[in-house]
Amino acid sequence: MTIPSPDTLFSRFRPSAICGLGLLVAGLLFIFAGCGSDDNATRSIRIDGSSTTYPLTEAVAEEFMRENPDVRITVGESGTGGGFSKFLRGETDMNDASRPITAGERQQAEDAGIAFIEMPVAYDGIAVTAHQGIDWTDCLTARELQRIWRPDSDVQQWSDVRDGFPDVPVKLYGPGTASGTYDYFTETIVGEGGASRTDFTASEDDNVLVRGVSGTTGALGYFGFAYYENNADRLALMKVDADTLGGGAECIAPSDSTIQTGAYRPLSRPLFVYIRSEAADREAVQQFIRFYMENVSDLAPQVGYVPLSDAAYALNLQRFEGQRTGTLFGRQGVEASADVEAVLRGEAEGLAASTDTSEANTTAADTTAIDTTAADTSATVPSE
């Protein structure tokens, strides 16, 4: 038997046929590669945002991936504002936040055609901490904190804060401007979000702040309560007298109970995750959110946060599965330290009332939480 040479073998096929065969093979390879890529995309979840909420979401993600090794979750910590910038450009599926979404961010979402689901996940308090060498006080009033941190502050020494304090320079540390902790502290203490003196050491990394406060004589700083608890042996904790909220308050230290009940005024708050509605349609995201709501109450104390009530997590899951978009907590009249369960239950009761009235009202309430009048009425917590 004569075996044809390669030249003879390929000469039996027309060049056009060879070219067509090559294109067919290349096309099949491209299709197979594309299918794998799409599958990888649907089994991955991209999260960024608050450095305060980061340890909680990271802990939940690690536990989830142990049980679901086919899902890849990446969690970043570029700050609440920085995370929302990515989220509203469609670069991430979820955003961690240590404050509710702002009116400006909601407008960006509307302009970009991005709908989102808002879910509170735990309570946190902002801890006011100091260098351990500060032994002349363990309590500052909200008014004193305002004088220290306002943009036109003339406080340079501890003696400028209160009569009787020593002439020791005040060295300040705090979160960067992209941090939700910065936004919340300035709004609550200074009286205007983003209003702050600028001559302080700022960082989005709370570990940098811990090192600065613990290693600098006369230092004062603020960051999430969880980071204080993780470094309590290196820092002095300041109690806070909420004198700007009516007077007569006592000095209160942050703790699980004072944060959850709101007794630690005005520096206790809920933490959030925001999920893009488009991402919420994916099976991996649905699995992760259900896992989050079912396990976060056990994981929150392990990373220094205070869990919500079981009822609040159940109401959260109802919001997610019902695709109720918009914000409940970023509305005018809802206090930053509002009772989370009361706000969520107010929406649920409002929706139930709307259902009894008409199907049309139910649709409107489901679509935009910020316009749900019934929820507004029952969810608002009056200022003190």
Side-chain angles (χ1 to χ4, degrees):
M1 177 180 178
T2 302
I3 300 176
S5 68
D7 290 341
T8 305
L9 179 63
F10 282 102
S11 68
R12 294 179 182 178
F13 297 94
R14 293 194 303 271
S16 59
I18 296 174
C19 180
L21 181 62
L23 290 173
L24 176 62
V25 172
L28 290 172
L29 289 173
F30 176 79
I31 292 171
F32 292 148
C35 289
S37 176
D38 289 344
D39 185 62
N40 289 337
T42 59
R43 303 301 291 172
S44 66
I45 303 172
R46 300 160 299 168
I47 307 172
D48 209 313
S50 167
S51 62
T52 302
T53 313
Y54 168 84
L56 182 59
T57 296
E58 176 73 0
V60 176
E62 288 178 356
E63 290 297 318
F64 178 81
M65 286 188 290
R66 286 192 185 98
E67 296 186 15
N68 301 271
D70 61 321
V71 179
R72 175 177 173 77
I73 302 175
T74 57
V75 186
E77 48 177 332
S78 60
T80 298
F84 267 127
S85 294
K86 296 179 181 179
F87 183 77
L88 298 174
R89 290 196 299 266
E91 296 174 9
T92 55
D93 303 306
M94 295 173 55
N95 191 56
D96 288 335
S98 55
R99 58 157 172 79
I101 190 169
T102 65
E105 289 161 346
R106 292 199 304 270
Q107 186 61 54
Q108 291 177 48
E110 183 178 341
D111 293 344
I114 293 176
F116 58 85
I117 303 169
E118 174 188 71
M119 302 179 74
V121 291
Y123 290 104
D124 181 35
I126 294 179
V128 179
T129 67
H131 184 267
Q132 288 185 326
I134 293 177
D135 57 5
W136 47 87
T137 187
D138 65 352
C139 178
L140 292 171
T141 70
R143 189 170 287 111
E144 287 171 337
L145 288 170
Q146 182 187 59
R147 288 212 332 268
I148 292 169
W149 284 97
R150 67 191 184 192
D152 60 348
S153 176
D154 59 358
V155 172
Q156 299 298 326
Q157 312 244 19
W158 277 97
S159 55
D160 298 327
V161 177
R162 189 187 304 174
D163 290 343
F165 284 1
D167 292 330
V168 174
V170 176
K171 302 294 184 181
L172 298 174
Y173 292 81
T177 57
S179 168
T181 303
Y182 172 87
D183 292 338
Y184 180 60
F185 184 88
T186 53
E187 180 175 353
T188 303
I189 294 297
V190 179
E192 180 183 350
S196 173
R197 63 190 296 170
T198 58
D199 58 338
F200 70 98
T201 301
S203 177
E204 305 293 351
D205 186 343
D206 291 335
N207 293 303
V208 172
L209 303 180
V210 168
R211 289 195 297 270
V213 174
S214 63
T216 307
T217 301
L220 183 75
Y222 68 91
F223 39 79
F225 177 62
Y227 279 91
Y228 163 74
E229 282 205 314
N230 291 337
N231 298 275
D233 59 335
R234 305 165 59 189
L235 299 163
L237 180 65
M238 287 288 170
K239 300 173 185 176
V240 175
D241 174 352
D243 65 350
T244 59
L245 298 182
E250 60 180 318
C251 292
I252 301 291
S255 68
D256 287 0
S257 61
T258 61
I259 290 170
Q260 191 172 49
T261 61
Y264 179 60
R265 302 184 295 131
L267 293 176
S268 58
R269 59 182 176 168
L271 304 176
F272 301 88
V273 296
Y274 288 80
I275 307 102
R276 281 194 303 118
S277 289
E278 183 180 344
D281 291 333
R282 303 205 314 259
E283 182 183 7
V285 175
Q286 294 169 2
Q287 291 173 340
F288 178 61
I289 292 300
R290 292 189 187 102
F291 185 90
Y292 205 131
M293 293 302 105
E294 292 168 0
N295 293 274
V296 65
S297 60
D298 292 329
L299 293 171
Q302 297 179 27
V303 291
Y305 298 104
V306 180
L308 309 179
S309 66
D310 290 342
Y313 289 122
L315 289 165
N316 257 342
L317 201 52
Q318 288 178 21
R319 293 201 85 232
F320 179 76
E321 293 178 343
Q323 284 276 321
R324 297 176 198 159
T325 59
T327 180
L328 289 173
F329 294 84
R331 298 168 300 161
Q332 186 174 6
V334 177
E335 298 294 321
S337 57
D339 183 316
V340 165
E341 183 182 337
V343 175
L344 293 171
R345 194 172 297 284
E347 181 201 38
E349 291 172 355
L351 289 172
S354 296
T355 301
D356 292 339
T357 304
S358 70
E359 286 293 325
N361 288 343
T362 301
T363 303
D366 279 345
T367 304
T368 310
I370 195 168
D371 292 330
T372 305
T373 304
D376 281 348
T377 301
S378 57
T380 301
V381 177
S383 59
E384 299 181 54

